[in-house]
């Protein structure tokens, strides 16, 4: 049988536990709210999104390996697409200005650019798919993000996707690997999980 004083103590413990749980969950939610979670298509201005979402007939009507496909491949690099919104979106440097100065969280794959004396990565491109800039052509500049992390980080496998959190800037960076239209001063990195 529980006495009145034991009931009062148990009630006090329960209230303290509830308050502690609420405080911890509020802290976790506040930390997650510190960064706006983005998807790669969020980085596309509306005009680029519309152009890529509605590819022209000369793209959708071509079968892989066909004569047309071979002709299209041989025409790459020629300045024949200047007035084509779809082709322009594939190389677009246009950005969504509202992300400039915002704390964001974006998933992607790491393409190392710079290392410190300990061979830890201090600068890299974050890209939407594995092999971009290495085995495959680079994504459009507005689908490539330069990430700076002067403290450096060790990385064992480049095929592992990550969440990168930090302050985003809208700025063009060009180097021999790719061109990016966004940059992030990284605060946190964690292995990707949906």
């Amino acid at each position: 049988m529980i006495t009145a004083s034991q009931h009062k103590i148990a009630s006090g413990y329960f209230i303290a536990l509830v308050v502690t749980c609420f405080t911890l969950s509020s802290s976790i939610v506040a930390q997650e709210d510190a960064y706006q979670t983005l998807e790669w298509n969020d980085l596309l201005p509306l005009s680029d999104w519309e152009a890529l979402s509605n590819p022209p007939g000369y793209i959708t009507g071509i079968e892989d390996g066909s004569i047309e496909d071979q002709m299209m491949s041989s025409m790459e690099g020629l300045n024949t697409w200047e007035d084509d919104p779809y082709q322009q979106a594939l190389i677009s440097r246009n950005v969504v200005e509202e992300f400039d100065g915002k704390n964001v969280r974006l998933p992607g794959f790491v393409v190392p650019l710079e290392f410190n004396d300990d061979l830890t990565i201090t600068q890299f491109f974050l890209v939407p798919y594995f092999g971009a800039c290495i085995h495959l052509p680079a994504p459009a500049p507005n689908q490539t993000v330069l990430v700076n992390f002067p403290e450096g980080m060790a990385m064992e496998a480049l095929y592992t996707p990550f969440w990168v959190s930090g302050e985003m800037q809208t700025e063009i960076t060009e180097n021999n690997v790719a061109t990016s239209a966004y940059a992030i001063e990284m605060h946190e990195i964690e292995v990707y999980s949906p």
Side-chain angles (χ1 to χ4, degrees):
M1 186 157 138
I2 299 176
T3 65
S5 63
Q6 289 173 326
H7 181 64
K8 208 182 248 187
I9 292 171
S11 295
Y13 284 133
F14 178 74
I15 291 170
L17 179 63
V18 168
V19 168
T20 301
C21 288
F22 178 75
T23 303
L24 287 174
S25 66
S26 296
S27 172
I28 291 168
V29 169
Q31 186 177 14
E32 288 177 4
D33 288 344
Y35 298 99
Q36 179 180 352
T37 298
L38 300 179
E39 295 179 18
W40 286 95
N41 59 352
D42 294 329
L43 300 180
L44 295 171
L46 183 59
S47 60
D48 288 350
W49 174 251
E50 288 174 349
L52 293 171
S53 298
N54 300 297
Y58 68 81
I59 296 292
T60 58
I62 296 177
E63 293 183 31
D64 286 341
S66 68
I67 296 282
E68 293 88 357
D69 184 37
Q70 293 170 15
M71 287 174 49
M72 292 290 287
S73 295
S74 67
M75 292 174 64
E76 285 180 15
L78 300 177
N79 291 327
T80 58
W81 309 111
E82 290 154 357
D83 297 324
D84 185 333
Y86 179 80
Q87 293 296 328
Q88 290 302 307
L90 292 175
I91 58 170
S92 180
R93 295 174 176 224
N94 299 328
V95 296
V96 178
E97 290 293 341
E98 73 183 62
F99 296 135
D100 192 39
K102 299 283 184 178
N103 285 329
V104 300
R105 181 176 183 244
L106 183 68
F109 293 89
V110 171
V111 178
L113 296 174
E114 292 185 11
F115 302 85
N116 66 18
D117 294 337
D118 299 332
L119 297 179
T120 56
I121 301 168
T122 56
Q123 187 178 69
F124 59 91
F125 281 134
L126 188 69
V127 292
Y129 51 88
F130 176 71
C133 306
I134 299 172
H135 304 296
L136 301 169
N142 63 14
Q143 293 292 281
T144 305
V145 177
L146 177 71
V147 179
N148 294 300
F149 190 59
E151 293 83 13
M153 62 180 196
M155 181 152 306
E156 295 179 17
L158 295 178
Y159 52 81
T160 302
F162 290 92
W163 282 107
V164 170
S165 301
E167 183 180 339
M168 179 171 272
Q169 294 89 37
T170 54
E171 64 184 38
I172 301 292
T173 301
E174 295 184 48
N175 70 23
N176 59 348
V177 176
T179 299
S180 65
Y182 293 97
I184 292 179
E185 288 298 319
M186 190 171 79
H187 302 155
E188 300 174 14
I189 188 166
E190 59 187 300
V191 174
Y192 174 83
S193 64

